[in-house]
Amino acid sequence: MQHLGKIRRFALELAGGPAQGVYRGGELLAGQVVLELTTGLKVRALEVCARGLATAHWLESRSVGMNTVYSDYSAYEPYLRSRYQLIRDNGEVTVLQAGKHEFPFTFQLPETLATSFEGRHGNVRYWVKAKLHRPWSVVKKAKKEFTVIEPIDINTPALLAPQAGVKEKLARAWYCNRGQVSVSAKIDRKGYTPGEVIPIFAEIDNCSTRTVVPKAAIIQTQTFIARGAKKQKKSVVASIAGDSIAAGKREVWHGRALKIPPVGPSILQCRIIRVEYALKVCVDIPGTSKLLLELPLVIGTIPLHPFGSRTSSVSSQYSVNLDWLRMVIPEEPEAPPEYSSVVSSEESAQNLSPPCQDELGNGLEGPFFAYIQEFRYRPPPLYSEVDPNPTSDSIRPRCMTC
């Protein structure tokens, strides 16, 4: 116990990445191990290691006769494993004098990493751990986690391509045909960033004898993969509802706005964890399952360049100037609807149970505070009544009366 009194502080400090402690693949991870001693200390070795790991895990139960059998599904995907010796163990003891000691270190991050993520059945985590080995004492450890965000640039042809679709459904009640309901929808591109507004263009034709209600929602799907099996969790992150459409009527959405809240970006490169988004336009038909039309979305990290596209779509009106990755806590968002309110009953049965309200709130906890930004709309150009190109006296027009 006398050895423990010699150490006043043993901690890890990171220098911070280019974006306030957030790193990406290929960058340098720099920091230092801080050791404060009240008296001299004998040390055998001091090492620091950097780790990155994706983990998926869940349990499934099934009945076999009178018994319940549980199946354990686990999978791991390593992304980072590096070690650095600050004081080598060469068989001799190193004596550190009283005072403060700083041991700097650097790690080269791999070019390809998965974005940090915390989910119900898995996570992607990165951390640095220091270990202090002393004679006749337990190993003293210090740990520091850090966040990795892999960039997704929406200024690419694939993510700038428009997305459109058409769906129709027969409204039935007690095996009687009540008419047909159809919906066609379009959005101007596939890639968006948090804080942007998605203008939705849609036409809903209600040729049935019932009054229907159109809705639109952004759905997040988390997929966990292990041992050939999949586990999914779906939740609604934002939604809007249209006006009721009477029988035989049509409603047209001319760019109905749906704002994307602060959510984590899409994760598409990890083999065991995927985070995907979709825009679902649904029509609630009384007495019949919902009519659903799904358009894929990709939530990126690099916003649309104001001069990167010459498209004349309405979305240019909604372009925003993002201060990406600023650690600003947003206002309390409005509670989203239940997942069951925007999906059909048969689709709900194929997927998992609808999410709870607290599950959606977990998306803003932990390292995902790195995704929270402050969004500002671009100001209009300055207006002036002064002609910037006045007519000179030398070319003044001749008076006709002279």
Side-chain angles (χ1 to χ4, degrees), residues 32-46:
Q32 60 183 4
V33 178
V34 179
L35 182 61
E36 295 184 13
L37 305 175
T38 56
T39 59
L41 180 68
K42 295 181 179 180
V43 177
R44 287 192 178 276
L46 176 60

Side-chain angles (χ1 to χ4, degrees), residues 312-364:
S312 59
S313 65
V314 177
S315 70
S316 59
Q317 303 175 19
Y318 299 98
S319 59
V320 292
N321 183 16
L322 305 180
D323 293 330
W324 189 250
L325 296 180
R326 293 189 59 184
M327 306 289 281
V328 178
I329 300 178
E331 298 179 356
E332 184 69 22
E334 182 181 355
E338 292 293 331
Y339 178 67
S340 58
S341 65
V342 291
V343 298
S344 61
S345 56
E346 57 263 26
E347 186 177 4
S348 265
Q350 293 176 3
N351 299 321
L352 294 182
S353 58
C356 300
Q357 175 63 28
D358 56 347
E359 293 179 355
L360 181 59
N362 293 337
L364 300 178

Side-chain angles (χ1 to χ4, degrees), residues 28-353:
L28 281 178
L29 174 67
Q32 60 183 4
V33 178
V34 179
L35 182 61
E36 295 184 13
L37 305 175
T38 56
T39 59
L41 180 68
K42 295 181 179 180
V43 177
R44 287 192 178 276
L46 176 60
E47 63 179 6
V48 60
C49 61
R51 294 290 307 275
L53 185 67
T55 304
H57 177 259
W58 70 90
L59 293 175
E60 289 187 2
S61 61
R62 57 188 178 92
S63 298
V64 179
M66 300 296 294
N67 301 323
T68 301
V69 179
Y70 292 91
S71 300
D72 190 332
Y73 293 89
S74 299
Y76 304 93
E77 179 77 10
Y79 286 102
L80 174 62
R81 189 182 183 94
S82 300
R83 179 176 297 181
Y84 192 78
Q85 295 284 340
L86 299 174
I87 299 178
R88 292 186 175 276
D89 187 0
N90 53 11
E92 299 180 357
V93 174
T94 301
V95 179
L96 300 179
Q97 300 301 319
K100 183 177 181 180
H101 301 266
E102 297 178 350
F103 302 90
F105 61 86
T106 57
F107 289 104
Q108 179 71 48
L109 297 180
E111 291 292 335
T112 302
L113 295 174
T115 296
S116 297
F117 170 77
E118 292 292 332
R120 183 173 183 178
H121 304 293
N123 54 66
V124 182
R125 294 174 180 171
Y126 297 88
W127 67 92
V128 180
K129 182 181 289 187
K131 296 181 180 180
L132 179 65
H133 300 266
R134 299 163 293 168
W136 307 103
S137 298
V138 297
V139 178
K140 193 169 183 62
K141 301 177 182 179
K143 184 178 180 180
K144 184 78 171 181
E145 294 186 357
F146 61 95
T147 301
V148 170
I149 298 180
E150 278 301 283
I152 300 178
D153 189 356
I154 69 171
N155 299 281
T156 60
L159 298 186
L160 292 177
Q163 305 295 308
V166 179
K167 271 288 186 69
E168 57 186 26
K169 188 179 187 69
L170 285 176
R172 295 180 178 273
W174 295 100
Y175 302 100
C176 296
N177 188 353
R178 300 295 184 181
Q180 182 174 276
V181 180
S182 63
V183 57
S184 62
K186 177 183 177 181
I187 55 178
D188 67 324
R189 51 191 162 97
K190 185 177 181 180
Y192 290 87
T193 52
E196 282 193 283
V197 172
I198 304 177
I200 305 172
F201 300 87
E203 290 186 2
I204 302 97
D205 287 311
N206 182 15
C207 298
S208 70
T209 59
R210 302 295 182 89
T211 298
V212 300
V213 180
K215 300 177 183 179
I218 299 175
I219 308 295
Q220 182 197 68
T221 303
Q222 300 176 8
T223 305
F224 306 89
I225 305 170
R227 293 170 46 193
K230 292 184 179 181
K231 188 79 168 178
Q232 284 191 337
K233 177 182 177 297
K234 296 195 175 189
S235 59
V236 179
V237 299
S239 67
I240 55 173
D243 300 327
S244 299
I245 306 174
K249 298 296 183 180
R250 167 188 287 190
E251 181 175 345
V252 179
W253 287 2
H254 298 283
R256 181 68 65 92
L258 177 58
K259 187 174 182 179
I260 304 174
V263 294
S266 301
I267 300 179
L268 306 175
Q269 304 301 325
C270 183
R271 292 193 298 178
I272 64 174
I273 296 177
R274 294 177 65 88
V275 177
E276 299 169 296
Y277 293 88
L279 173 68
K280 285 193 175 182
V281 180
C282 79
V283 182
D284 193 357
I285 308 173
T288 307
S289 59
K290 296 179 177 66
L291 169 61
L292 290 175
L293 173 61
E294 182 173 325
L295 301 178
L297 288 177
V298 172
I299 303 300
T301 61
I302 300 177
L304 183 68
H305 194 282
F307 307 105
S309 174
R310 295 184 179 272
T311 178
S312 59
S313 65
V314 177
S315 70
S316 59
Q317 303 175 19
Y318 299 98
S319 59
V320 292
N321 183 16
L322 305 180
D323 293 330
W324 189 250
L325 296 180
R326 293 189 59 184
M327 306 289 281
V328 178
I329 300 178
E331 298 179 356
E332 184 69 22
E334 182 181 355
E338 292 293 331
Y339 178 67
S340 58
S341 65
V342 291
V343 298
S344 61
S345 56
E346 57 263 26
E347 186 177 4
S348 265
Q350 293 176 3
N351 299 321
L352 294 182
S353 58

